[in-house]
Amino acid sequence: MPDYRSAQALAAAPRRLAVALEPHTRPLAEAVVREVRREVPEYSGPPEGRFGRALAEGIEVAVRHCFRCIGNPHPDHSEWVRQFRRRGRREFDEGRTLDALQAAVRIGGRVAWQYLTPVLRDLGAGPQTLTTAAEAIFAFVDELSATALEGFQEARQPSGAEERRRRLATLILAEPQPSLAGPAEDAGWSLPERVAVIALEHAENLPAGLLDDEVLADLDGDRPCLITPSPQRTVGILSGNWEKPARAAVSPPVPLVLAPAAHRLARRGLALPGDVVWCAEHLDAIWLRSQDFLADRLQAKYLAPLDSVSGRQRARLGETLLAWLETRGGAPEIARRLQVHPQTVRARLHQLRELFGDRLDDADTRFGLHLVLRRQLGAEEGTL
């Protein structure tokens, strides 16, 4: 991240000034929005519309960042950089030049200076502080414009970096998954510990230019998807900016090595009703339909203690374990369900306790056992 002149100037100001100015974040942002909408015809649409909301959000991000830089030698620039680079990409995607955006940024600098001058004086700021504030504001205007221009140029001329990002997304979803360290470094993408995969019905008119840089897109072919460490934020961006959004299914966050399985899980989630299906809320319905190695791996993991018994005995113990998991009742209740003698159930439960031990007391293990036994029952109905 480069050193920004605006942040360097603001870092020299006293931190107490940031605390005093923080309540002015929203009023200043609203003042800028009003003036921009009045002076820039392209931004004069309804404030409650998609365009109006994006304008207000970007201006508030910029104001908040300036205040956070005061007295702060190491501010985080990622939020405003992402916001205005995305804004530049959007201007290109929607067929506009940067003239309107740059005019809005200049107006924002002017309004900010007009608003803050009396506020700073009331707070006892001297000439040097006022000079520093002016330098910082107009340096930030230049930095916002330059960052938006970067996004605009990226959208106009897809770079080799974008190709490398697309290739990285393909590699993450490949099986077997290759080493990702080199391709991720080439793409400028920091490998997160966990990602979610968002499966899409289609990618038509997807506003990819508005997505955070941390999101990878694999949109070729008939299985489009996004890979993101922040699925809720990504879905929020899409839902607010996609004119005709596709249905989407979101996998639970998983380690990168499990991204291919998460992709398959998400694609199965598209078979469930709803505009956005959060697969973590429907794991039983999805896994019970599963016929591939993901379900087989789960079955092997959770039912491994039954590997030491014969096939017929394994089936009977599985049937009894499922009844116990679903009823958590005593031997008489389970016996009625299975139509066997209660003493038979007691003997099976004792054997299950010997085989599984403390694992039967763990909530996550019981959940996993329930899923795989239900799937097994559905696939082998009548054999348990």
Side-chain angles (χ1 to χ4, degrees):
M1 191 73 72
D3 293 327
Y4 293 101
R5 288 189 300 116
S6 61
Q8 292 174 347
L10 291 170
R15 186 63 190 160
R16 59 180 174 78
L17 199 58
V19 177
L21 289 176
E22 196 278 334
H24 292 275
T25 302
R26 180 63 61 83
L28 174 52
E30 291 174 348
V32 172
V33 169
R34 284 194 300 272
E35 195 63 16
V36 167
R37 286 171 46 77
R38 190 181 70 83
E39 294 195 29
V40 183
E42 291 87 344
Y43 291 168
S44 61
E48 69 277 4
R50 178 168 58 93
F51 199 85
R53 291 196 303 270
L55 172 66
E57 180 186 359
I59 289 173
E60 186 166 338
V61 164
V63 172
R64 189 187 309 117
H65 176 74
C66 281
F67 288 169
R68 287 176 177 173
C69 285
I70 297 174
N72 181 1
H74 303 293
D76 181 1
H77 299 286
S78 60
E79 184 180 16
W80 78 261
V81 169
R82 182 168 56 243
Q83 181 79 234
F84 280 83
R85 186 173 287 148
R86 190 167 64 198
R87 184 72 247 179
R89 290 197 294 262
R90 182 169 180 171
E91 294 297 292
F92 177 83
D93 291 341
E94 297 183 358
R96 292 188 292 272
T97 69
L98 281 183
D99 293 347
L101 178 58
Q102 291 176 332
V105 169
R106 290 193 298 272
I107 292 167
R110 187 190 74 219
V111 173
W113 175 238
Q114 292 170 344
Y115 180 102
L116 289 173
T117 299
V119 172
L120 291 171
R121 285 178 177 152
D122 289 345
L123 293 172
Q128 182 57 50
T129 299
L130 291 172
T131 300
T132 298
E135 291 176 352
I137 288 172
F138 294 107
F140 194 42
V141 165
D142 292 340
E143 291 157 4
L144 291 176
S145 296
T147 302
L149 179 60
E150 291 174 5
F152 188 88
Q153 291 175 335
E154 287 173 2
R156 183 172 59 187
Q157 298 177 342
S159 63
E162 290 184 11
E163 293 298 328
R164 290 191 289 272
R165 287 171 63 86
R166 279 194 285 268
R167 177 174 177 270
L168 176 60
T170 301
L171 294 176
I172 288 173
L173 300 178
E175 291 186 282
Q177 189 184 78
S179 172
L180 300 175
E185 184 177 357
D186 291 342
W189 195 69
S190 298
L191 291 173
E193 291 186 5
R194 302 173 74 81
V195 296
V197 179
I198 302 175
L200 304 170
E201 268 191 336
H202 64 77
E204 183 179 353
N205 298 321
L206 175 77
L210 302 182
L211 297 174
D212 295 332
D213 291 339
E214 65 184 8
V215 181
L216 297 178
D218 185 2
L219 306 178
D220 296 332
D222 58 355
R223 294 165 58 86
C225 70
L226 304 171
I227 303 167
T228 173
S230 307
Q232 290 190 337
R233 183 166 65 196
T234 301
V235 169
I237 292 171
L238 292 178
S239 63
N241 294 283
W242 200 347
E243 293 289 355
K244 295 182 179 179
R247 294 184 63 256
V250 188
S251 81
V254 297
L256 266 173
V257 69
L258 293 181
H263 184 205
R264 289 195 300 278
L265 186 70
R267 297 226 67 87
R268 286 195 193 93
L270 288 175
L272 301 180
D275 293 334
V276 178
V277 176
W278 295 90
C279 294
E281 300 172 5
H282 305 281
L283 287 179
D284 53 350
I286 296 171
W287 283 348
L288 285 171
R289 301 178 181 201
S290 177
Q291 297 297 324
D292 66 4
F293 95 102
L294 176 60
D296 294 338
R297 289 280 296 275
L298 288 169
Q299 184 167 316
K301 172 184 176 180
Y302 287 110
L303 298 184
L306 296 180
D307 289 345
S308 61
V309 300
S310 67
R312 180 180 291 273
Q313 190 177 16
R314 177 188 177 98
R316 290 170 176 168
L317 288 174
E319 177 187 45
T320 304
L321 179 55
L322 178 61
W324 177 77
L325 289 167
E326 293 189 338
T327 67
R328 298 305 300 273
E333 181 180 354
I334 296 173
R336 285 193 298 272
R337 172 171 171 159
L338 301 180
Q339 298 182 344
V340 298
H341 195 279
Q343 192 58 37
T344 300
V345 172
R346 292 188 184 96
R348 292 181 187 176
L349 291 176
H350 179 73
Q351 188 175 3
L352 286 167
R353 177 61 69 173
E354 288 184 338
L355 290 169
F356 285 88
D358 293 342
R359 278 173 284 191
L360 293 180
D361 300 322
D362 179 73
D364 289 339
T365 298
R366 290 198 301 269
F367 178 70
L369 284 167
H370 184 227
L371 290 178
V372 297
L373 287 167
R374 283 287 306 279
R375 173 183 179 267
Q376 187 179 75
L377 183 64
E380 305 172 5
E381 189 172 1
T383 64
L384 289 181

